Amino acid sequence: MRIKSGIEGFDALVEGGLLQGRQYLVSGSPGSGKTTFGVQFLTAGALEGEAGAYIALSESIGTIEDDMSRYNTQIGDLIKNNKLIFIDLGPSVNYGEYDEVSNLITPDYRQQSGDSPANQAPTPFSVFKDVEKHVKQSGIKRLVIDSLSSIRFTTQNPASEERSIGRFIRNLKTLGCTTILLSELTKPDAYTIEQFASHGVIFLHNFMDKQGSMVRALQIIKMRGTKHDCEMRSIEFSDKGLKVGKMLKK
Ligand SMILES: Nc1ncnc2c1ncn2[C@@H]1O[C@H](COP(=O)(O)OP(=O)(O)OP(=O)(O)O)[C@@H](O)[C@H]1O
Ligand SMILES: [Mg+2]
């Protein structure tokens, strides 16, 4: 079954909507619209009765709620009615706190308890366990993870990191939610495990043209089981949020 993405102009590019229960990666540069895309997707579902959760791993949920409420005044009510839930799973220790704690405990104790800054940071495993709990408790049907980039680089070993991100995505698939994974796009031509493991990949771009004006664009890179548009399309932020428009001129 196909469900509405909530992004004006997007569903027509993917045979009418996203496939329910699948995992999609929305990857983009800073400020390209990832959070807006994710919140619009959740809001569209929540307005039709599907509970949605936004898992924030790097930004404060208060800021996201405030910024996104500007696009849709119903967001406050959806939050009150538990149809839209913002969950902060970011690092729990504030800057400086660890140093204070560290001065009070002996190195021996730290070694035994595994109490190091690395252990305070969310990992793919800890995030999955928390997400699973919330999905079961609150009957979540739509999920946004912001961002996969925040749970990368938690180990020193790149091969084990790739495996653990792959395992994270495979485990998310078992929860039955339609999921949007957000990630930072640093090199569009570098293929990552999340691109291979997701059912669909959407890139959001913002770059300067030759005249120095900002160009915003969306491009669907992959969408399994779907005849989809492949062009770079302009996007704009209207009063209602992101909107996909015409093909960019070549
Ligand atoms: N009310 C608004 N009207 C129009 N454009 C806006 C408005 N609010 C924000 N924007 C634009 O949206 C951008 C931020 O969008 P968003 O937070 O979705 O991006 P992001 O990709 O999640 O960013 P980040 O990489 O920082 O997480 C801003 O940089 C600004 O250009
Ligand atoms: Mg964001």
Side-chain angles (χ1 to χ4, degrees):
M1 192 177 89
R2 292 199 181 261
I3 60 170
K4 287 184 196 153
S5 66
I7 316 294
E8 196 181 329
F10 180 83
D11 294 348
L13 308 177
V14 291
E15 290 192 61
L18 299 171
L19 286 167
Q20 193 168 39
R22 303 246 181 152
Q23 265 66 37
Y24 297 95
L25 179 73
V26 173
S27 196
S29 42
S32 56
K34 302 179 292 295
T35 296
T36 313
F37 192 110
V39 174
Q40 272 177 249
F41 162 75
L42 294 180
T43 307
L47 286 170
E48 296 197 347
E50 280 196 330
Y54 192 98
I55 310 298
L57 292 161
S58 46
E59 211 181 324
S60 109
I61 56 175
T63 314
I64 302 175
E65 286 174 23
D66 287 350
D67 293 349
M68 296 300 139
S69 298
R70 293 197 53 194
Y71 295 122
N72 191 322
T73 49
Q74 287 160 295
I75 285 184
D77 286 337
L78 294 172
I79 295 173
K80 267 189 220 133
N81 297 330
N82 285 328
K83 285 290 170 212
L84 186 54
I85 306 169
F86 287 85
I87 301 164
D88 187 349
L89 295 184
S92 52
V93 175
N94 290 327
Y95 193 56
E97 263 176 37
Y98 177 77
D99 296 333
E100 282 168 37
V101 174
S102 188
N103 287 336
L104 297 174
I105 51 181
T106 67
D108 284 354
Y109 172 78
R110 269 208 305 276
Q111 233 166 17
Q112 284 162 24
S113 66
D115 184 16
S116 72
N119 287 337
Q120 309 294 339
T123 64
F125 176 74
S126 72
V127 171
F128 175 73
K129 282 294 168 202
D130 283 333
V131 169
E132 183 182 39
K133 188 182 75 192
H134 284 287
V135 165
K136 288 186 177 155
Q137 261 171 14
S138 309
I140 303 296
K141 297 278 182 274
R142 292 192 184 202
L143 200 55
V144 172
I145 312 278
D146 179 11
S147 65
L148 274 187
S149 321
S150 310
I151 47 173
R152 272 191 171 277
F153 315 117
T154 52
T155 69
Q156 304 288 324
N157 178 341
S160 114
E161 182 179 291
E162 289 298 290
R163 275 199 303 277
S164 82
I165 291 284
R167 194 177 298 138
F168 178 72
I169 297 174
R170 268 202 313 282
N171 277 290
L172 281 179
K173 287 178 183 170
T174 65
L175 299 180
C177 300
T178 315
T179 303
I180 294 200
L181 304 157
L182 304 181
S183 81
E184 271 134 47
L185 182 65
T186 42
K187 287 192 201 147
D189 55 350
Y191 304 117
T192 57
I193 180 78
E194 47 267 42
Q195 293 175 13
F196 287 109
S198 300
H199 294 111
V201 177
I202 298 150
F203 280 178
L204 297 178
H205 303 277
N206 55 352
F207 54 90
M208 298 295 168
D209 67 10
K210 284 186 190 133
Q211 285 74 40
S213 305
M214 166 98 87
V215 180
R216 297 183 184 278
L218 172 148
Q219 189 168 30
I220 301 162
I221 304 299
K222 122 180 182 185
M223 195 71 43
R224 287 190 197 140
T226 306
K227 205 167 133 195
H228 65 88
D229 179 88
C230 296
E231 303 296 339
M232 282 260 255
R233 295 198 167 257
S234 71
I235 48 175
E236 62 176 84
F237 288 83
S238 73
D239 289 348
K240 303 249 158 55
L242 271 185
K243 186 173 152 187
V244 187
K246 293 199 180 107
M247 249 170 73
L248 285 189
K249 288 196 191 92
K250 287 182 182 158

